[in-house]
């Protein structure tokens, strides 16, 4: 059948990506929008491409080779892709296919010049635009040239850049097919790109227009700087007119050429303000049709706009859905919880159901709406104070929003903002028995949960869990729990503020908190040193563990069973099992219940254990703790002695002593509530995984982990009905993959503006990377950029550089000399443990893992909050 190879644009819409590719489908959709003009044309379908590919069986072999090549082996990719392109371009287009294309050209009329454009099935997608990965040819004149350029478009599926892009995005070359769009050529006075949301700030209210003279190729190729206009609420609010010295024009015989623009026109705007506003109005119509912000290529012909492409802007961070038109300001939960990776739907919904405040989801991350707290002056002051102490970047971002007088509404203090954020609870006595009692309460509550959940299955399990979530929140909101947490934090702030004022010493509390008692997270790191002591003398066990790193023991405890068969292996296994009994509920990204726990994947700990075997002597855990305790005691004596020498020194020393006792009593407990939360999460997860197993056995789900792509309520419904929407699960998996490419902002507005904040400091050396000082001291050493704890490989003196560290990373801190993270605050877990171990640490260093290369020597200034990259 001939006609299957060619479809008119008017016959196409967005649903036909598999037939006409992403660009063709979008152009078909555009041509159906009222008031939108699209140059006439047709698509040569993917069936034609498949037919051509079938003509050359040798391509299959090369595709096999290509799929095995390392994405970083540019030479191999260049060679293989060039061979495939030459083969495709050398295949003669069969007569019936060529005739179908020629007839379609005849139907377009007398027009003899065309744009021939690649349209792959994996491009212009909501999750990956593939912009510029395949080829477009302008001003192609005559049927023979069109046929030749159709072949070139097919071949361009295998340009080096396209092949590399697919490999890096995990897309199989065989699953992508190429259609070709052939359109009447337009010869514009001006052309350019319209973004219906600001591509830099993310603001959905701002549209930006890039414009230049002639064909858009001049802008795309970087030949000229464009005029840039910003439009908000139907008005041009900003413009920058560039000197446009060159343009690209079409040649009568075909092809294009650069031409010089006469001097008097160079600084004239390519569009009038009225034209810019009219163009943005068209863009808003297109955006409404596709349901998301668009990146639109346009041409101005005889004072009328023609649209030649529209694709989603894939780099924008999504905005939480509220269902209202009010302004909202959101603060990232992940930056406070030290987990900025995307979470799966079950993880998101479980955290929402157990959180103390309402949370909103966007881009696989959670946010808290702080608009009402910002609106009331009293609650605003409290919120900014707490945010500023913990993460100055969040405070700065919030202040940036507040500087826009019209964005956050102003409410009276008695309004619905509630009590000031971070308002201190009633004080409690400095009594270690308080901490003991709180830990016992938490343990009793978890033991009751473990006992009562055992008999629950099916819908009854979900009813039980909803009640358990209320108990979960009751434990967290226990006034004594909040008082103990705040007591440690406030004592730290008091000591740092007063000792700087009285003694001129920065961050003195960092040393005073060394080896504080009852810190479950620091104990967890030291306990792995004790395991290393058990394993170190057993050479057979050490050799086995070195092999485990490469062997297939990803899930379960199979490697522990093997371990017990070796000489000395039983003791090693028992030590690891005891550790897992106490800490096995932890893992990287532990706020997401779907992440594999150490108990489920104990091999995660093997690299850290081996580092400890190699880098430490026996008895290191006890020595480290005692050294820290002695250092803190010596610091206390030094501080008190210097204070007593000051005017009114006895009073100052007495106050400082009370606060030192207070911080040492309570700061360790700061880590326990998170341990309690994660302990409860593991109990929930085990019950849900047993339910998932029953669904798999019943044929409802193909795999247990499919439940991770459902919310808690959706999973409840599946368990009740024994019916599942397979398409929904697949959509959720695709969306989760796409969320990894998004960087979550610290602060996000309902307009979509993403704000990261700035430190606004001028007291650091030129070229230094600025961050937040959270653990005093200066250290110089080799940077180890580690993004996955399971790939840790630290030597003595190395400085750990990573994106974020939740409590599960603390075993690595034991072997590190310093710490640098991209995310973190003064009281986040990584900062607390760095102080506990006495590691100089700077957190909140934007793009640290990109700006610091693995193996570089760096100097970490933990007292002053910056990092120097050394020559």
């Amino acid at each position: 059948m001939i006609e299957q190879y060619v479809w008119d644009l008017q016959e196409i819409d967005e649903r036909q990506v598999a037939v006409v590719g992403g660009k063709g489908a979008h152009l078909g959709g555009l041509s159906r929008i009222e008031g939108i003009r699209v140059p006439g044309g047709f698509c040569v379908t993917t069936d034609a491409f498949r037919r051509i590919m079938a003509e050359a069986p040798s391509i299959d072999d090369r595709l096999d080779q290509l799929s095995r090549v390392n994405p970083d082996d540019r030479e191999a990719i260049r060679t293989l892709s060039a061979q495939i392109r030459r083969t495709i371009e050398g295949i003669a287009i069969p007569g019936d296919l060529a005739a179908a294309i020629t007839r379609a050209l005849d139907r377009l009329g007398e027009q003899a010049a065309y744009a021939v454009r690649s349209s792959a099935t994996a491009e212009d997608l909501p999750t990956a635009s593939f912009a510029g990965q395949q080829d477009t040819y302008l001003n192609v004149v005559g049927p023979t040239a069109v046929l030749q350029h159709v072949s070139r478009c097919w071949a361009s599926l295998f340009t080096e850049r396209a092949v590399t892009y697919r490999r890096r995005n995990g897309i199989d070359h065989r699953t992508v097919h190429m259609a070709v769009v052939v359109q009447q050529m337009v010869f514009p006075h001006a052309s350019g790109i319209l973004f219906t949301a600001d591509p830099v700030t993310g603001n959905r209210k701002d549209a930006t227009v890039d414009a230049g003279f002639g064909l858009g190729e001049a802008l795309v190729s970087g030949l000229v700087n464009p005029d840039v206009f910003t439009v908000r609420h139907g008005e041009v609010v900003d413009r920058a007119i560039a000197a446009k010295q060159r343009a690209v024009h079409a040649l009568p015989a075909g092809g294009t050429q650069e031409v010089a623009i006469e001097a008097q026109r160079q600084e004239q705007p390519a569009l009038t303000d009225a034209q810019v506003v009219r163009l943005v109005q068209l863009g808003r119509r297109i955006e409404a049709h596709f349901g998301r912000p668009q990146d639109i290529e346009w041409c101005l012909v005889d004072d009328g706009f023609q649209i030649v492409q529209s694709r989603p802007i894939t780099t924008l961070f999504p905005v939480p859905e509220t269902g209202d038109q009010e302004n909202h300001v959101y603060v990232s939960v992940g930056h406070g919880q030290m987990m900025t990776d995307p979470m799966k739907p079950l993880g998101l919904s479980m955290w929402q159901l157990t959180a103390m405040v309402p949370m909103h989801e966007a881009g696989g991350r959670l946010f808290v709406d702080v608009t009402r707290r910002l609106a009331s002056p009293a609650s605003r002051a409290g919120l900014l104070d707490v945010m500023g102490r913990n993460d100055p970047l969040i405070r700065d971002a919030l202040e940036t929003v507040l500087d826009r007088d019209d964005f956050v509404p102003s409410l009276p203090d008695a309004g619905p903002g509630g009590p000031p954020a971070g308002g201190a609870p009633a004080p409690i006595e400095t009594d270690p028995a308080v901490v003991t009692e709180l830990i016992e309460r938490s343990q009793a509550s978890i033991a009751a949960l473990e006992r009562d959940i055992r008999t629950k299955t099916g819908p009854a399990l979900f009813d039980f869990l909803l009640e358990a979530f209320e108990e979960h929140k009751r434990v967290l909101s226990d006034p004594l729990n909040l008082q103990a947490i705040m007591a440690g934090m406030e004592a730290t702030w008091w000591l740092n503020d007063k000792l700087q004022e009285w003694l001129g010493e920065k961050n003195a509390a960092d040393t005073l908190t060394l080896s504080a008692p009852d810190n479950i997270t620091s104990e967890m790191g030291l306990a792995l040193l004790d395991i290393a002591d058990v394993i170190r003398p057993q050479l057979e066990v050490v050799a086995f563990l070195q092999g485990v790193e490469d062997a297939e023991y990803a899930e379960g405890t199979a490697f522990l069973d093997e371990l017990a068969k070796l000489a000395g292996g039983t003791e090693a296994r028992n030590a690891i099992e005891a550790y897992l009994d106490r800490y096995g509920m932890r893992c990287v990204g532990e706020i997401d219940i779907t992440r594999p726990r150490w108990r489920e994947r104990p091999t995660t700990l093997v690299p850290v254990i081996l580092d400890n075997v190699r880098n430490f002597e026996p008895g290191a855990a006890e020595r480290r703790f005692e050294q820290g305790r002695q250092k803190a005691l010596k610091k206390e004596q030094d501080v008190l002695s210097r204070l007593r020498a000051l005017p009114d020194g006895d009073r100052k020393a007495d106050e400082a002593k009370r606060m030192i006792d207070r911080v040492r009593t309570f700061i360790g407990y700061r880590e326990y509530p998170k341990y309690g939360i994660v302990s409860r999460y593991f109990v929930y997860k085990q019950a849900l995984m047993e339910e998932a197993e029953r669904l798999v056995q019943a044929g409802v789900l193909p795999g247990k982990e499919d439940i991770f792509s459902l919310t808690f309520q959706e999973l409840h419904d599946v368990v009740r009905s024994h019916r599942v929407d397979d398409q929904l699960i697949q959509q959720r998996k695709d969306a989760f993959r796409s969320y990894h490419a998004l960087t979550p902002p610290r602060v996000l507005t309902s307009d979509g503006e993403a704000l990261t904040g700035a430190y606004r400091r001028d007291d650091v050396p030129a070229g230094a990377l600025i961050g937040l000082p959270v653990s005093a001291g200066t250290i110089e050493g080799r940077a180890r950029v580690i993004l996955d704890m399971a790939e840790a490989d630290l030597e003595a003196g190395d400085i750990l550089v990573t994106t974020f560290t939740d409590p599960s990373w603390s075993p690595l801190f034991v072997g590190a000399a310093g710490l640098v993270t991209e995310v973190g605050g003064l009281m986040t877990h990584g900062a607390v443990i760095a102080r506990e171990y006495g590691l100089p640490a700077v957190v909140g260093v934007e793009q640290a893992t990109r700006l610091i290369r693995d193996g570089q020597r760096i100097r970490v200034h933990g007292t002053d909050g910056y990092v120097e990259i050394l020559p």
Side-chain angles (χ1 to χ4, degrees):
M1 211 176 119
I2 293 173
E3 289 305 318
Q4 67 182 333
Y5 295 130
V6 174
W7 286 23
D8 191 271
L9 278 181
Q10 300 291 331
E11 302 175 88
I12 297 163
D13 63 27
E14 306 90 288
R15 293 170 296 182
Q16 284 142 333
V17 171
V19 179
V20 295
K23 188 180 284 113
H26 273 78
L27 285 168
L30 283 165
S31 67
R32 292 164 177 259
I33 305 172
E34 186 178 349
I36 302 299
R37 292 171 59 199
V38 176
F42 59 87
C43 287
V44 182
T45 67
T46 52
D47 283 340
F49 172 77
R50 276 188 283 268
R51 180 169 169 187
I52 292 296
M53 292 289 279
E55 299 273 334
S58 65
I59 291 177
D60 265 349
D61 295 335
R62 294 206 175 98
L63 286 177
D64 285 338
Q65 293 175 54
L66 208 51
S67 66
R68 292 192 294 268
V69 168
N70 185 314
D72 295 322
D73 188 347
R74 295 186 60 181
E75 188 56 43
I77 289 174
R78 185 180 297 120
T79 302
L80 283 166
S81 56
Q83 289 171 351
I84 294 171
R85 287 198 307 278
R86 278 197 300 273
T87 302
I88 293 172
E89 288 185 36
I91 297 169
I93 298 177
D96 58 335
L97 174 51
I101 295 171
T102 304
R103 274 198 299 276
L105 290 171
D106 290 341
R107 284 199 298 274
L108 285 177
E110 296 299 314
Q111 179 77 24
Y114 304 93
V116 182
R117 315 172 69 195
S118 303
S119 179
T121 52
E123 76 174 17
D124 295 353
L125 305 177
T127 56
S129 74
F130 285 75
Q133 298 307 312
Q134 284 90 37
D135 290 345
T136 284
Y137 302 96
L138 300 178
N139 199 32
V140 179
V141 176
T144 303
V146 168
L147 290 171
Q148 181 185 28
H149 285 84
V150 166
S151 286
R152 288 182 180 172
C153 283
W154 287 329
S156 77
L157 189 63
F158 298 99
T159 61
E160 182 187 345
R161 64 182 181 273
V163 167
T164 303
Y165 190 97
R166 287 196 295 273
R167 285 298 308 272
R168 295 221 160 112
N169 282 274
I171 295 170
D172 185 347
H173 302 301
R174 294 174 191 278
T175 64
V176 184
H177 304 292
M178 180 67 83
V180 181
V181 176
V182 179
Q183 284 178 283
Q184 291 177 328
M185 187 68 193
V186 293
F187 303 98
H189 162 73
S191 58
I193 299 165
L194 158 64
F195 296 98
T196 64
D198 188 312
V200 177
T201 68
N203 195 321
R204 276 38 166 202
K205 297 268 177 76
D206 290 351
T208 65
V209 174
D210 290 6
F213 294 123
L215 292 167
E217 194 65 22
L219 303 189
V220 174
S221 65
L223 181 63
V224 296
N225 291 324
D227 298 338
V228 181
F229 302 86
T230 302
V231 175
R232 186 181 307 137
H233 303 311
E235 182 183 347
V236 175
V237 294
D238 193 24
R239 68 178 63 72
I241 307 304
K244 301 169 289 296
Q245 297 174 339
R246 314 283 292 171
V248 174
H249 286 180
L251 292 167
T256 60
Q257 70 172 10
E258 290 178 26
V259 296
I261 295 175
E262 52 273 30
Q264 66 271 26
R265 283 188 67 216
Q266 288 180 6
E267 297 195 21
Q268 288 180 5
L271 296 177
T272 66
D273 281 9
Q275 288 171 329
V276 170
V277 169
R278 181 151 46 97
L279 175 61
V280 170
Q281 287 169 344
L282 295 175
R284 293 289 180 217
R285 202 175 293 177
I286 294 167
E287 179 183 67
H289 175 84
F290 289 117
R292 63 179 63 232
Q294 297 287 301
D295 163 356
I296 298 166
E297 294 181 24
W298 55 269
C299 295
L300 178 66
V301 184
D302 300 328
D303 201 38
F305 287 103
Q306 297 205 34
I307 306 301
V308 295
Q309 189 160 335
S310 185
R311 61 168 75 94
I313 307 175
T314 57
T315 55
L316 298 178
F317 200 87
V319 179
E321 293 180 14
T322 57
D324 63 37
Q325 298 301 309
E326 302 296 317
N327 287 347
H328 295 272
V329 182
Y330 302 98
V331 170
S332 165
V333 172
H335 285 81
Q337 290 294 334
M338 303 303 292
M339 213 295 274
T340 53
D341 288 348
M343 296 167 68
K344 292 180 179 175
L346 185 62
L348 290 164
S349 63
M350 292 286 279
W351 194 259
Q352 287 170 308
L353 286 164
T354 52
M356 302 304 296
V357 295
M359 292 185 176
H360 305 265
E361 184 274 332
R365 279 81 167 187
L366 291 170
F367 295 85
V368 173
D369 188 342
V370 297
T371 317
R372 287 194 174 275
R373 289 195 224 165
L374 288 174
S376 169
S379 59
R380 178 192 311 147
L383 177 70
L384 291 175
D385 182 54
V386 170
M387 293 293 178
R389 283 186 179 276
N390 201 39
D391 188 337
L393 292 177
I394 292 180
R395 175 173 183 147
D396 184 77
L398 290 173
E399 287 176 334
T400 301
V401 176
L402 288 168
D403 285 344
R404 294 163 193 160
D405 297 334
D406 58 341
F407 193 82
V408 177
S410 204
L411 295 173
D413 286 346
I428 52 175
E429 290 300 313
T430 302
D431 182 359
V434 171
V435 172
T436 304
E437 181 187 344
L438 283 166
I439 291 172
E440 286 173 353
R441 284 188 199 179
S442 176
Q443 289 173 338
S445 176
I446 292 166
L449 172 66
E450 289 174 329
R451 181 188 67 239
D452 297 342
I453 204 170
R454 285 183 193 132
T455 57
K456 306 295 189 293
T457 60
L461 170 65
F462 289 81
D463 295 336
F464 172 82
L465 283 172
L466 288 171
E467 292 176 17
F469 297 161
E470 293 308 309
E471 166 66 5
H472 181 124
K473 289 193 274 191
R474 189 199 64 73
V475 171
L476 283 179
S477 60
D478 179 343
L480 192 63
N481 179 52
L482 298 174
Q483 288 167 342
I485 293 171
M486 289 306 297
M489 291 168 65
E490 288 175 338
T492 303
W493 297 337
W494 189 96
L495 284 166
N496 279 336
D497 290 347
K498 289 297 184 184
L499 296 181
Q500 179 155 14
E501 178 189 337
W502 292 338
L503 299 175
E505 188 168 337
K506 290 182 181 176
N507 304 330
D510 294 359
T511 307
L512 294 166
T513 55
L514 288 170
S515 298
D518 299 310
N519 188 319
I520 190 78
T521 309
S522 64
E523 289 168 5
M524 179 172 72
L526 294 174
L528 268 191
L529 289 175
D530 291 334
I531 291 177
D533 287 353
V534 174
I535 289 171
R536 193 178 290 105
Q538 310 300 335
L539 299 182
E540 201 174 330
V541 171
V542 172
F544 172 75
L545 291 180
Q546 287 167 339
V548 162
E549 292 189 79
D550 303 318
E552 286 300 316
Y553 289 110
E555 298 287 346
T557 56
F559 97 92
L560 292 174
D561 296 334
E562 292 295 315
L563 193 59
K565 299 173 185 175
L566 306 174
T570 301
E571 294 87 343
R573 176 187 169 146
N574 291 345
I576 294 171
E577 284 282 9
Y579 186 87
L580 292 173
D581 287 344
R582 185 155 168 76
Y583 304 112
M585 77 294 290
R586 309 219 83 149
C587 68
V588 172
E590 61 194 10
I591 69 170
D592 182 352
I593 200 171
T594 71
R595 292 287 191 106
R597 310 284 133 176
W598 289 344
R599 170 53 83 183
E600 296 169 311
R601 195 176 288 175
T603 51
T604 305
L605 296 170
V606 170
V608 191
I609 293 171
L610 288 172
D611 281 351
N612 290 346
V613 166
R614 185 173 66 247
N615 295 334
F616 292 93
E617 297 296 322
E622 190 175 342
R623 277 198 309 277
R624 285 285 295 266
F625 186 82
E626 184 56 25
Q627 284 165 359
R629 198 179 70 80
Q630 291 295 336
K631 197 172 176 183
L633 185 60
K634 185 178 176 187
K635 183 68 173 179
E636 176 184 333
Q637 292 166 345
D638 173 60
V639 162
L640 296 179
S641 142
R642 287 159 63 202
L643 286 175
R644 287 197 181 96
L646 298 175
D648 199 17
D650 287 343
R651 179 189 63 80
K652 290 172 179 172
D654 289 347
E655 285 184 27
K657 172 61 175 166
R658 279 198 299 276
M659 285 300 179
I660 291 169
D661 290 347
R662 197 163 177 78
V663 82
R664 290 197 67 79
T665 298
F666 291 114
I667 199 64
Y669 179 71
R670 164 79 180 82
E671 292 294 299
Y672 202 88
K674 181 77 170 284
Y675 175 78
I677 291 170
V678 177
S679 297
R680 297 178 75 89
Y681 261 41
F682 192 39
V683 179
Y684 305 152
K685 182 178 186 180
Q686 287 171 306
L688 290 173
M689 293 308 286
E690 287 172 12
E691 207 58 45
E693 181 60 44
R694 284 188 277 273
L695 291 171
V696 171
Q697 295 297 329
V700 178
L701 289 174
K704 287 193 298 184
E705 293 192 355
D706 285 338
I707 69 168
F708 297 162
S709 297
L710 300 170
T711 66
F712 179 83
Q713 189 55 56
E714 288 166 348
L715 179 54
H716 191 177
D717 293 341
V718 170
V719 167
R720 245 193 321 250
S721 66
H722 267 219
R723 285 197 304 274
V724 69
D725 183 343
D726 295 328
Q727 193 174 357
L728 174 68
I729 287 178
Q730 189 55 52
Q731 286 170 353
R732 294 273 178 78
K733 288 178 178 178
D734 292 343
F736 177 72
R737 272 195 297 273
S738 74
Y739 293 152
H740 280 279
L742 300 174
T743 301
R746 283 176 166 80
V747 172
L748 180 68
T749 73
S750 48
D751 285 352
E753 188 171 5
L755 298 113
T756 55
Y759 286 108
R760 308 196 188 281
R761 291 172 53 191
D762 55 10
D763 59 341
V764 297
L769 309 181
I770 301 175
L772 182 65
V774 295
S775 186
T778 301
I779 192 73
E780 186 178 308
R782 179 179 68 158
R784 293 312 316 268
V785 180
I786 298 174
L787 303 180
D788 182 349
M789 183 178 156
E791 296 173 5
D793 181 17
L794 288 174
E795 299 284 352
D798 284 350
I799 296 168
L800 173 61
V801 180
T802 189
T803 47
F804 58 79
T805 60
D806 59 13
S808 70
W809 283 74
S810 67
L812 276 183
F813 287 19
V814 174
L819 173 69
V820 179
T821 69
E822 294 181 350
V823 178
L826 191 62
M827 282 297 169
T828 47
H829 301 275
V832 171
I833 303 307
R835 291 193 291 274
E836 186 81 9
Y837 288 161
L839 299 184
V842 180
V843 302
V845 180
E846 289 285 291
Q847 299 188 43
T849 59
R850 294 174 206 163
L851 298 174
I852 300 171
R853 290 196 313 275
D854 186 56
Q856 274 187 317
R857 289 195 66 77
I858 62 173
R859 187 180 296 127
V860 177
H861 296 262
T863 306
D864 294 311
Y866 63 91
V867 179
E868 291 180 283
I869 299 175
L870 303 176

